């Protein structure tokens, strides 16, 4: 599939917009978190929660994008869905790691990605610029297509380069589990088969930060079933610009059914371990 890629100058501008929006939303959700935060609604299951701050963050992102890039489309996790006329659509996760945020666990982020193609069709879009901001560590990972990836934090900027371990046995693997109990049973079986073959497993609760951890040298492989475009769009670009690959189980792009990231040969080992149980994976979400 061919995608119409903006020129490099525009791509740099898109990264700067993603940077500004991600930080503004990250500051909002930390600085204005109510002392007693309640669940405002649930989505795919009783444990798939939304808070008032998810909505406030998404509204802030939408307002900034309409100011900075008024003719682009916007697609947000919490319901914003605006068509554009430029060929660029912004995909927003206003709080990635909402359960951590609700419980006061200091590990969540904001993901802001500019994509081209059809953002509503799996495999029909590609990220061209993006930013993932962790307001707890004040670290911002960002990238633009063919422009590399970088980390901004503590007043410094450094280029991000992915470096993989020699084999699966020395790999620190990060994953996540679904809000669907049926899928969690399957995910638990996969994790139990994987654990004896890897260094260790981490489940930290924010997919975009989990994926970016590969570019930060904090994990070696990532896999998860059930993440959405807003969880992965910016981080997918960041880690590929840093030198990692990201794929699906049997697709060259990550899908909701399976997203796998890391060095290509080690990602293939994850596929091999999943393959015998692939058809057992519930298709509910
Ligand atoms: C979450 C992801 C997490 C995944 C959860 C959920 P949310 O996103 O970041 O990795 O395991 O099921 O999808 O719901 O906090 O935006």
């Amino acid at each position: 599939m061919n995608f119409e890629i903006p020129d490099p100058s525009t791509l740099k501008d898109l990264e700067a917009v993603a940077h500004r929006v991600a930080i503004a939303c990250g500051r909002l959700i930390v600085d204005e978190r109510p002392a007693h935060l309640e669940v405002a609604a649930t989505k795919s299951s009783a444990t798939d929660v939304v808070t008032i701050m998810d909505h406030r963050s998404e509204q802030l992102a939408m307002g900034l994008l309409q100011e900075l890039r008024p003719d682009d489309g916007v697609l947000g996790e919490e319901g914003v869905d605006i068509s554009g006329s430029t060929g660029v659509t912004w995909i927003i996760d206003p709080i990635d790691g909402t359960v951590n945020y609700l419980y006061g666990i200091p590990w969540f982020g904001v993901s802001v990605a500019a994509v081209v193609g059809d953002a509503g069709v799996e495999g029909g879009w590609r990220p061209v610029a993006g930013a993932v901001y962790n307001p707890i560590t004040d670290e911002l990972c960002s990238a633009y297509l063919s422009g590399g990836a970088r980390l901004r934090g503590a007043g410094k900027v450094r280029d991000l380069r992915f470096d993989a371990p020699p084999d699966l046995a020395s790999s620190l693997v990060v994953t996540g589990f679904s809000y669907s109990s049926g899928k969690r049973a399957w995910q638990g079986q996969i994790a139990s088969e994987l654990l004896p073959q890897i260094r260790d497993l981490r489940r930290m609760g924010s997919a975009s930060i989990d994926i970016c951890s590969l570019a930060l040298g904090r994990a070696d492989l990532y896999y998860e079933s059930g993440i959405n475009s807003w969880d992965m769009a910016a981080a997918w670009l960041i880690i590929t610009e840093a030198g990692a690959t990201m794929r699906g189980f049997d697709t060259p792009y990550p899908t909701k059914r399976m997203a796998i990231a890391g060095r290509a040969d080690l990602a293939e080992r994850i596929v091999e371990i999943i393959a015998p149980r692939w058809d057992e994976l519930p298709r509910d979400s």
Side-chain angles (χ1 to χ4, degrees), residues 1-246:
M1 180 175 283
N2 293 320
F3 298 96
E4 191 170 328
I5 308 299
D7 63 81
S9 173
T10 301
L11 291 173
K12 288 185 73 172
D13 291 344
L14 294 175
E15 182 192 22
V17 169
H19 175 171
R20 178 171 168 187
V21 173
I23 286 184
C25 293
R27 293 284 17 114
L28 172 81
I29 63 179
V30 169
D31 298 345
E32 299 193 25
R33 185 188 189 281
H36 179 63
L37 183 63
E38 295 184 345
V39 173
T42 59
K43 297 185 290 187
S44 64
S45 76
T47 55
D48 185 0
V49 298
V50 183
T51 73
I52 184 67
M53 295 308 292
D54 293 86
H55 288 294
R56 287 191 61 196
S57 177
E58 187 160 294
Q59 289 301 311
L60 174 61
M62 183 183 69
L64 284 170
L65 290 169
Q66 288 184 317
E67 173 195 333
L68 299 169
R69 294 281 304 183
D71 298 322
D72 291 353
V74 184
L75 177 66
E77 177 178 11
E78 307 312 341
V80 167
D81 189 353
I82 299 171
S83 299
S85 58
T86 62
V88 172
T89 301
W90 294 89
I91 300 183
I92 311 295
D93 193 334
I95 302 179
D96 185 27
T98 298
V99 172
N100 284 355
Y101 183 75
L102 178 69
Y103 277 73
I105 298 171
W107 200 254
F108 45 83
V110 177
S111 178
V112 181
V115 308
V116 295
D118 186 343
V121 173
E122 193 163 75
W125 57 272
R126 289 297 185 273
V128 293
V132 173
Y133 180 53
N134 180 335
I136 301 300
T137 62
D138 192 27
E139 292 175 316
L140 182 118
C141 295
S142 66
Y144 67 87
L145 190 63
S146 303
R150 58 214 112 256
L151 168 68
R152 289 174 173 81
K156 297 175 185 169
V157 183
R158 69 176 174 91
D159 291 339
L160 293 175
R161 289 303 307 158
F162 172 65
D163 184 21
D167 50 33
L168 189 65
S170 51
S171 293
L172 184 62
V173 181
V174 60
T175 190
F177 301 121
S178 170
Y179 290 120
S180 150
S181 58
K183 184 175 279 192
R184 283 203 301 276
W186 182 88
Q187 291 170 318
Q189 290 170 334
I190 297 297
S192 67
E193 287 163 19
L194 195 58
L195 273 168
Q197 304 183 60
I198 60 176
R199 174 189 295 270
D200 204 344
L201 191 65
R202 294 285 186 273
R203 194 298 193 248
M204 298 181 286
S206 173
S208 59
I209 296 179
D210 292 344
I211 298 165
C212 285
S213 63
L214 273 61
L216 293 167
R218 298 171 183 167
D220 302 309
L221 276 168
Y222 167 86
Y223 77 97
E224 185 165 358
S225 176
I227 64 170
N228 293 288
S229 58
W230 43 77
D231 295 306
M232 69 169 87
W236 175 13
L237 180 69
I238 289 162
I239 65 165
T240 50
E241 285 296 318
T245 63
M246 195 162 186

